[in-house]
């Protein structure tokens, strides 16, 4: 086994304290003898949610040697609230200890630069690897097996039960519901996300009529009592005339988020069927169009029927896709997979975790959550931004759209007058944008993490996700007055020197693997900046993971956007069909230009940065 740099792991500290430990505070000395994997995450981040799912198998297979510790490191102000972290840990079924670090103390100690980041600590308390982004579960498993063998032989490995203590379950009819719609008969269908079910409620929005799905995480078709979902979210009615749904009345298409699939539910028969997705997550290089059951999807979060197609908010890859129910095909329709806010033709636009959709006659409205933006796409395929400026600005500010602010909205609902109601999730508010006046107003406050809303006559029914209920409101004639607040993400900016800046993305192929060069370069690097004027040279795409950037004179701060991908395969001559793995991550690095700043920016995709 190759020797590794000996870097002592800093202590785990966070003002929010510990969750899932039975009220016990943990220290690294408590974990000595175990292999520790620190998962730096924040619950707004879909890539972090992907990693939670990637780690589940590792957690189960190595439960007696590995302790996974979630270090919750917030981006948004709401995510720094302790109760919000408690809710997120339950919502996403996090079954390991979590340190609530609202001030990013441990994040800074470990020099983390991106969500998600995984850090591996050996049984003697030394950092042995760091991985940013998704796709590293296989590499970490190999490393764990090596560490088990090495420290088992040395006598420094301690086996046994871990420190995880599950919280007491809470009895409610819904548990972190995601989206809702009104069925033609007047009842409500709700995606009961944490319980992996759909729930039909009576017209009162409270009385449970039936549950669809076993309640266990899975992917299974069939009748309501045998079908299985995994954290379903978006719901939309399919017109009864489409060729694949002619066997009765209207059907409901479901964004089955963690299954990376679209399902169809027949309210009349109770049957559930899969119409799109393979159950596997889409990765760079995979097909972006074709027969719907043969193309991978990535965390579809919402769906809406617009212009003859089912549009999909593909949160996992920052795109919009479409599903054609007549042809049974899917395709990428808008977005480049780069994360950010760029308008223009659909193929060139950038999104950031689109999570809510609402269709009108001439446009499709989009809640673009990570940019805290409301956007829309027209029938000509051009993307526009109504409210929002980018990844790092958010708050609660009404008024003219050009200066108004949201905080991570997850839902958008078309209103009869042409305006839209916005489920402004992290502001706990229902907001309204009126394109006729260009104004943003607040309709209601004190809604706990609203994630969707349904118009019912003169009322609007809001999905209060963190209160586990639907709440009926009368649409007010006048807006609620609230005190304006504005925020920027609290991540500290990296001080960089003016002029030439060396960018190094560190990637070390996992043990037993090599870069996959069978079909050309196995790495990709894309660099851009906000504002674009920050970079005089060095933006654009390339295949080398290192690049010299030149910062423009006169621009003193901004954000460097770096997207890196590397593909590695098993390196053994006796393996006829080597397994290959894609590692990828997007960084948004706030920078400040100062005379004594660094001339090198090192970002770890996988491994350790020897020059750090």
């Amino acid at each position: 086994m190759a020797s590794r740099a000996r870097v002592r792991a800093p202590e785990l500290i966070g003002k929010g304290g510990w969750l899932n430990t039975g009220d016990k505070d943990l220290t690294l000395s408590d974990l000595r003898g175990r292999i520790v994997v620190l998962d730096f995450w924040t619950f707004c981040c879909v890539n972090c949610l992907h990693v939670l799912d990637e780690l589940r198998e590792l957690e189960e297979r190595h439960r007696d040697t590995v302790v996974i510790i979630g270090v919750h490191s917030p981006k948004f102000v709401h995510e720094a609230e302790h109760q919000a972290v408690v809710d997120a840990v339950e919502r996403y079924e996090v079954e390991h200890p979590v340190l609530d670090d609202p001030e990013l103390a441990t994040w800074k100690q470990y020099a983390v630069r991106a969500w998600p980041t995984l850090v591996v600590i050996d049984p003697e308390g030394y950092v042995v690897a760091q991985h940013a982004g998704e796709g590293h579960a296989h590499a970490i498993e190999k490393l764990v097996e090596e560490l088990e063998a090495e420290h088992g032989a040395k006598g420094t490995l301690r086996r046994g039960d871990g420190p995880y203590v599950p919280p007491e379950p809470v009895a409610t009819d819904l548990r972190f519901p995601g989206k809702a719609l009104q069925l033609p008969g007047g009842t409500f269908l709700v995606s009961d996300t944490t319980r992996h079910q759909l729930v039909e409620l009576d017209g009162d929005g409270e009385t449970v009529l039936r549950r669809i799905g076993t309640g266990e995480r899975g992917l299974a078709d069939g009748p309501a009592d045998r079908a299985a979902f995994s954290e379903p979210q978006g719901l939309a009615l399919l017109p009864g005339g489409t060729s694949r749904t002619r066997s009765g009345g209207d059907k409901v298409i479901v964004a089955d988020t963690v299954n990376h699939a679209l399902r169809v539910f027949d309210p009349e028969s109770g049957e559930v069927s899969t119409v799109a997705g393979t159950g596997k997550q889409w990765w760079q290089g995979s097909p972006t169009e074709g027969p719907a059951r043969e193309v991978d999807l990535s965390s579809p979060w919402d769906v809406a029927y617009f212009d003859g197609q089912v549009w999909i908010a593909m949160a996992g890859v920052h795109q919009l896709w479409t599903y054609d129910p007549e042809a049974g095909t899917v395709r990428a329709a808008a977005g480049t997979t780069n994360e950010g806010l760029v308008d223009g033709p659909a193929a060139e636009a950038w999104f950031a975790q689109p999570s809510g959709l609402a269709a009108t006659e001439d446009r499709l409205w989009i809640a673009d959550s990570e940019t805290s933006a409301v956007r829309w796409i027209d029938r000509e395929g051009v993307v526009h931004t109504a409210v929002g400026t980018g990844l790092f600005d958010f708050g609660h500010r009404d008024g003219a759209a050009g200066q108004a602010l949201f905080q991570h909205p997850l839902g958008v609902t078309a209103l009869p007058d042409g305006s839209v109601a916005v489920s402004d999730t992290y502001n706990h508010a229902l907001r309204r944008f009126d394109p006729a006046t260009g104004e943003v107003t607040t309709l209601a406050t004190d809604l706990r993490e609203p994630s969707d809303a349904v118009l019912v006559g003169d009322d609007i029914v809001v999905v209060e996700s963190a209160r586990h209920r639907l709440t009926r409101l009368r649409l007010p004639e006048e807006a609620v007055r609230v005190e304006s607040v504005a925020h920027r993400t609290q991540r500290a900016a990296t001080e960089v020197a003016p002029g030439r800046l060396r960018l190094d993305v560190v990637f070390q192929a996992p043990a037993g693997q090599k870069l996959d060069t069978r079909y050309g370069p196995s790495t990709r690097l894309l660099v851009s900046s906000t504002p674009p004027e920050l970079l005089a040279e060095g933006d654009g795409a390339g295949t080398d993971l290192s690049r010299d950037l030149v910062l423009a004179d006169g621009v003193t701060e901004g954000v460097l956007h770096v997207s890196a991908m590397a593909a590695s395969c098993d390196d053994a001559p006796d393996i006829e069909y080597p397994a290959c793995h894609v590692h990828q991550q997007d960084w948004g690095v706030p920078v400040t230009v100062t005379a004594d700043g660094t001339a090198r920016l090192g970002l770890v995709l996988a491994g350790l940065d020897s020059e750090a």
Side-chain angles (χ1 to χ4, degrees):
M1 184 172 175
S3 61
R4 299 187 181 89
R6 301 285 282 176
V7 179
R8 176 65 73 178
E11 191 52 83
L12 306 176
I13 53 175
K15 286 189 69 174
W18 288 88
L19 305 175
N20 285 353
T21 63
D23 295 324
K24 174 181 170 60
D25 291 345
L26 296 181
T27 66
L28 284 177
S29 62
D30 297 328
L31 304 173
R32 195 63 47 81
R34 310 299 291 272
I35 301 163
V36 178
V37 180
L38 302 181
D39 176 16
F40 290 87
W41 70 298
T42 189
F43 63 78
C44 72
C45 161
V46 71
N47 311 91
C48 300
L49 304 185
H50 291 167
V51 168
L52 284 176
D53 292 317
E54 288 178 5
L55 292 175
R56 292 185 201 280
E57 289 187 25
L58 175 74
E59 201 165 21
E60 185 58 38
R61 280 198 294 266
H62 299 272
R63 191 169 291 279
D64 67 332
T65 60
V66 173
V67 175
I68 296 175
I69 301 289
V71 182
H72 189 269
S73 314
K75 171 187 174 180
F76 290 99
V77 169
H78 170 60
E79 293 174 305
E81 297 176 14
H82 182 69
Q83 185 57 48
V85 181
V86 173
D87 289 343
V89 167
E90 181 190 350
R91 181 196 300 266
Y92 298 115
E93 296 182 317
V94 180
E95 295 183 350
H96 51 248
V98 173
L99 174 65
D100 181 9
D101 183 18
E103 297 179 348
L104 304 182
T106 296
W107 164 289
K108 294 170 186 173
Q109 286 291 312
Y110 281 83
V112 174
R113 294 184 182 275
W115 298 276
T117 291
L118 300 170
V119 175
V120 182
I121 302 171
D122 73 11
E124 294 179 289
Y126 291 92
V127 174
V128 292
Q130 182 172 323
H131 302 265
E134 303 177 51
H136 301 294
H138 175 79
I140 290 176
E141 174 128 30
K142 290 289 188 185
L143 177 57
V144 164
E145 291 170 355
E146 290 184 359
L147 291 170
E148 286 175 339
E150 176 187 347
H151 289 273
K154 290 173 64 177
T156 51
L157 183 68
R158 176 168 57 90
R159 295 179 180 269
D161 293 335
Y164 170 65
V165 179
E168 289 293 324
V170 181
T172 53
D173 287 332
L174 301 174
R175 205 70 193 160
F176 298 104
K179 306 287 186 181
L181 62 76
Q182 189 174 36
L183 294 172
T187 61
F188 293 97
L189 190 68
V190 184
S191 55
D192 198 19
T193 302
T194 298
R195 294 207 176 117
H196 315 295
Q197 291 180 317
L198 307 181
V199 178
E200 185 176 2
L201 301 177
D202 199 2
D204 60 9
E206 298 179 7
T207 306
V208 175
L209 300 179
R210 59 173 165 168
R211 297 182 180 275
I212 300 93
T214 63
E216 298 294 326
R217 187 188 296 272
L219 177 55
D221 291 338
D225 61 345
R226 294 206 296 271
F229 300 91
S230 187
E231 298 182 29
Q233 286 280 349
L235 307 167
L237 283 171
L238 276 174
T242 57
S243 62
R244 293 170 183 259
T245 59
R246 283 182 183 147
S247 57
D250 291 325
K251 309 294 191 296
V252 178
I253 194 154
V254 183
D256 195 6
T257 304
V258 177
N259 277 327
H260 311 294
L262 296 187
R263 318 289 294 282
V264 164
F265 167 61
D266 183 346
E268 188 173 309
S269 68
E271 287 283 324
V272 175
S273 57
T274 302
V275 296
T278 64
K280 297 179 180 179
Q281 184 182 342
W282 185 94
W283 287 99
Q284 291 287 350
S286 300
T288 56
E289 61 179 324
R293 291 298 308 275
E294 299 175 16
V295 177
D296 299 337
L297 308 180
S298 183
S299 297
W301 210 276
D302 203 6
V303 281
Y305 194 80
F306 173 67
D307 200 18
Q309 307 277 305
V310 174
W311 286 71
I312 311 163
M314 202 73 79
V317 285
H318 316 298
Q319 289 182 306
L320 303 181
W321 286 41
T322 57
Y323 163 63
D324 186 335
E326 291 283 350
T329 56
V330 293
R331 71 177 184 91
T336 64
T337 76
N338 296 319
E339 184 179 15
L341 192 152
V342 176
D343 290 338
E348 301 171 12
W350 291 23
F351 297 94
Q353 221 168 290
S355 301
L357 300 175
T360 64
E361 182 63 30
D362 61 349
R363 63 181 67 179
L364 179 72
W365 291 98
I366 306 150
D368 202 27
S369 63
E370 278 295 289
T371 53
S372 298
V374 171
R375 307 173 72 185
W376 53 280
I377 186 168
D378 60 30
R379 285 180 173 268
E380 285 69 49
V382 179
V383 177
H384 312 259
T385 296
V387 182
T389 59
L391 287 164
F392 299 100
D393 294 294
F394 55 91
H396 190 150
R397 181 192 286 156
D398 289 334
Q403 56 85 55
L405 294 171
F406 296 108
Q407 186 180 178
H408 198 81
L410 291 178
V412 62
T413 305
L415 300 179
D417 63 358
S419 66
V420 287
V422 181
S423 295
D424 193 5
T425 310
Y426 289 2
N427 280 328
H428 310 300
L430 188 69
R431 314 278 295 284
R432 176 176 178 263
F433 168 67
D434 185 353
T437 63
E439 293 285 315
V440 173
T441 52
T442 297
L443 300 178
T445 57
D446 192 29
L447 298 167
R448 188 70 184 169
E449 291 192 20
S451 54
D452 195 20
V454 181
L455 188 67
V456 182
D458 293 331
D459 295 341
I460 193 161
V461 176
V462 180
V463 179
E464 277 200 271
S465 188
R467 283 200 177 110
H468 320 292
R469 70 187 188 192
L470 303 188
T471 298
R472 185 181 293 262
L473 304 172
R474 179 57 55 94
L475 276 173
E477 295 183 6
E478 294 185 3
V480 177
R481 294 190 180 276
V482 296
E483 183 179 351
S484 295
V485 292
H487 301 287
R488 282 184 63 82
T489 183
Q490 61 175 316
R491 290 173 57 195
T494 299
E495 294 188 355
V496 296
R500 192 167 298 276
L501 176 66
R502 179 68 173 178
L503 171 64
D504 290 323
V505 174
V506 177
F507 178 76
Q508 297 160 3
Q513 293 196 347
K514 64 178 181 179
L515 289 173
D516 177 21
T517 57
R518 292 172 297 167
Y519 307 108
S522 59
T523 56
R524 186 191 72 167
L525 181 66
L526 177 67
V527 179
S528 63
S529 65
T530 303
E533 297 77 22
L534 175 65
L535 284 178
E537 296 178 24
D539 61 337
T543 58
D544 193 338
L545 291 182
S546 294
R547 186 181 300 181
D548 285 328
L549 311 178
V550 177
L551 303 176
D553 292 337
V555 183
T556 59
E557 63 179 10
V559 178
L560 290 174
H561 303 282
V562 180
S563 177
M565 184 273 288
S568 61
C569 292
D570 290 339
D571 182 17
D574 59 332
I575 299 178
E576 184 176 2
Y577 300 106
C580 297
H581 306 273
V582 176
H583 317 261
Q584 65 183 53
Q585 172 62 9
D586 297 328
W587 290 268
V589 183
V591 296
T592 300
V593 181
T594 61
D596 54 355
T598 182
R600 177 184 177 270
L601 178 61
L603 302 175
V604 177
L605 180 59
L608 290 174
D609 186 358
S610 60
E611 297 184 42

